[in-house]
Amino acid sequence: MSKDDKEPGYVLGTETDGTDSFDTITALVAADHEHDIKLRTMSWQKTACLLAGEQVCLAIMAQSWSLSVLGWVPGIITMILCGLLFWVTSITMHKYIMKHPHIMDICDFGYHVFGQSKAAYVFSAFMMLANNILLIGFHVLTGAKVLNTLSDHTLCTAVFSIITAVVGIVMSMPRTLQHISFMSMFSSACMGIAILLFLIFAGIEEAPLYGYRGNYPTDGPVKTYAFPLPGTTWVACMNAVLNITYLWVPQILFPTFISEMERPQDFPKALAVLAAISAVLFIVPSAIGFRYLGQYATAPAFGSLGVVSYKKSSFGFVIVPTLVIGVIYANVTGKFIYTRILGKSRHSHSHTVIGWSVWGIIMVGIWILGFVFAEIIPSMGDFLSLLSAAFDSFFGFIYFAVAYWQLNRGSLFKGLGKTALTLLNVFIMIVGLFLLGPGLYAAVEAIIADYSGSVTPAFTCANMAI
């Protein structure tokens, strides 16, 4: 048995210098299409739907709060800068994968980028699993919040979490991302409707009701400001920056998406669609929300609406993207575990009882873990900051700065354009290290503050409606 058969996640012995990448891709697609369950089937249009489904999410509605902490100038600059770095790092990632088309996920990517290191592979695997399962937990909690809000807390919150997890398990049964891309179209549409309704309601109501520093008008009339208000702490500012960064860093899933494309060389087309959608949806609704909510902005912004029917009408649509995004993360996580268990056996790509049983058990296990995290974590908002600092620092910045160096060794300063791009990637590395250092410190400080105050008990029945 070869080493690849023993360790299917590794890509030892399959490296390429890029000269035969397109021939390799053709061979990989042909081999995949001989299987009963075909993975490499997505067009760039379906990939664009999948990208939009993963990115058009509830986190958009937390950006008005970030602006309320940072003010217009630092907030908008941070958003634009994150968008620019997102594009640069994503293109670098794609170029690197085109040189190594056997890469199947972020773990393989880390293995290659750091000199074909098994330690880097194991580290990447641990980080990916932790990130994805915590995010699934966040979506379980969000689903419980939506159901609490819509039903006026007719059931115990833990029961609503169980309902969300069970529905998530059922929706996670398809094994190909192509099937999930169809769900993503509906997910994006529902999130778009939720955002549009929120903007309409925020504009027509006289004033917001709820704010973190007191209900309207206890904190004065609604106002906006260019820079942070006096008394705003560094930890609060850093968490607002991490909140923005989290929204703009989805690259942990991109290698898996690319590995299921029929023509992975077309990924930049899908990326361009996502970048255009993100540039509008990440900035415009946030700015409008800050304009009407001011210092009363909450995360998510639905919670600031003063009319209950407005809040329910807009927030209710979030249940669809909450489930679909959880399914996307579950699929990527499940494929990694599945491959490690079944390797290259026929069960991994055929309709067998063993194959589907293992897949089902993995999905149940992933969602149960997500449910447990959703119940025991006191503030998922602060844990999103922790995810951004601990994981996005690597999977959004550091990995791709190293990939750029690997791609351009020997020509880093060849010409003015290449020199400018090299300096930009040095900046990307610095940003990643900053998030990992001071950013992680700020996130941990916020979590400590949560635990020092009133902590929601685990598996609570308390009302968690917004």
Side-chain angles (χ1 to χ4, degrees), residues 415-438:
L416 186 60
K418 180 57 72 70
T419 299
L421 195 55
T422 297
L423 292 176
L424 178 58
N425 276 273
V426 170
F427 176 70
I428 289 171
M429 174 63 78
I430 292 171
V431 170
L433 294 174
F434 180 78
L435 292 180
L436 186 60

Side-chain angles (χ1 to χ4, degrees), residues 383-402:
F383 268 74
L384 284 182
S385 295
L386 180 65
L387 289 175
S388 181
F391 302 131
D392 292 350
S393 55
F394 287 102
F395 297 136
F397 300 96
I398 295 173
Y399 273 38
F400 306 114
V402 176

Side-chain angles (χ1 to χ4, degrees), residues 303-378:
S304 296
L305 294 175
V307 181
V308 174
S309 59
Y310 291 173
K311 188 182 302 184
K312 288 185 177 183
S313 299
S314 53
F315 193 44
F317 282 95
V318 175
I319 191 65
V320 176
T322 294
L323 288 167
V324 172
I325 295 171
V327 167
I328 294 173
Y329 277 95
N331 184 278
V332 172
T333 307
K335 279 199 174 79
F336 173 78
I337 300 172
Y338 189 82
T339 303
R340 298 300 294 174
I341 294 173
L342 293 180
K344 294 183 178 180
S345 69
R346 67 185 183 89
H347 304 293
S348 66
H349 50 71
S350 300
H351 295 292
T352 66
V353 173
I354 291 177
W356 278 105
S357 297
V358 171
W359 180 259
I361 292 170
I362 290 171
M363 285 299 113
V364 171
I366 287 172
W367 281 94
I368 288 176
L369 281 174
F371 165 76
V372 171
F373 279 118
E375 295 304 304
I376 64 176
I377 291 173

Side-chain angles (χ1 to χ4, degrees), residues 64 67-68 72 223-225 286-294:
S64 295
L67 289 176
S68 75
W72 286 115
K223 60 183 178 182
T224 62
Y225 29 89
S286 309
I288 296 173
F290 182 43
R291 159 65 179 82
Y292 285 107
L293 302 179

Side-chain angles (χ1 to χ4, degrees), residues 78-88 248:
T78 302
M79 290 178 178
I80 293 173
L81 183 60
C82 282
L84 172 64
L85 298 184
F86 158 75
W87 177 262
V88 172
W248 279 99

